Amino acid sequence: MTRFSHIEEERPVLTAAIRGMENYKEIVGEVCVYMLSHGMCFCANISNLPPAQSLTVHIHEGFVCENAGGHFLDLPDIISDKLGEAYALYYFDKRSLYEIAGRVIMFHIKKDGEEPAIACGVLKRVL
């Protein structure tokens, strides 16, 4: 049983396998999106992040991590714990499922006034 077992009994409509980029290859995780009556629920479970860090999360305009494009949608920040684990669960109703399906979800670390991307995945439809 996971931290999100009350949601995970439902079937997600989108999932993204999260993988680390460049200097962060050890990062792995998953984002699942569930439909609710008036919006969506995003669940993220990410491991091997830099410990005790605030991460910005964006859905980008692009459809591949290597060419993600600009920000399409800003999501709430998540914070990794001292072991580099991060869990997030939040409600969202600003965009439709059809607008975000197939797009890139990217995690950025705040470092030296910059926000380099450290992990990425594509929100794919679950059939």
Side-chain angles (χ1 to χ4, degrees), residues 1-111:
M1 187 175 276
T2 70
R3 293 176 191 250
F4 305 123
S5 61
H6 60 286
I7 294 289
E8 291 172 346
E9 292 175 11
E10 300 296 324
R11 185 173 175 204
V13 292
L14 300 173
T15 62
I18 304 301
R19 299 292 177 255
M21 302 171 74
E22 298 179 24
N23 297 330
Y24 299 92
K25 296 283 188 196
E26 68 281 357
I27 296 173
V28 295
E30 182 178 42
V31 171
C32 294
V33 179
Y34 298 86
M35 286 301 299
L36 303 175
S37 59
H38 297 332
M40 293 173 272
C41 179
F42 284 77
C43 298
N45 184 354
I46 316 291
S47 300
N48 303 323
L49 292 162
Q53 295 290 317
S54 177
L55 304 167
T56 59
V57 183
H58 309 284
I59 295 177
H60 284 254
E61 294 171 341
F63 300 96
V64 293
C65 290
E66 295 77 15
N67 189 16
H71 295 176
F72 182 74
L73 177 65
D74 295 336
L75 299 173
D77 291 359
I78 63 172
I79 299 172
S80 62
D81 65 16
K82 66 182 180 180
L83 300 175
E85 304 289 319
Y87 306 96
L89 174 66
Y90 42 88
Y91 172 79
F92 183 77
D93 65 355
K94 303 240 188 278
R95 297 280 186 169
S96 74
L97 173 70
Y98 302 104
E99 291 176 296
I100 65 170
R103 294 190 189 271
V104 168
I105 185 165
M106 196 166 283
F107 295 80
H108 303 263
I109 191 168
K110 297 175 183 179
K111 184 177 180 181

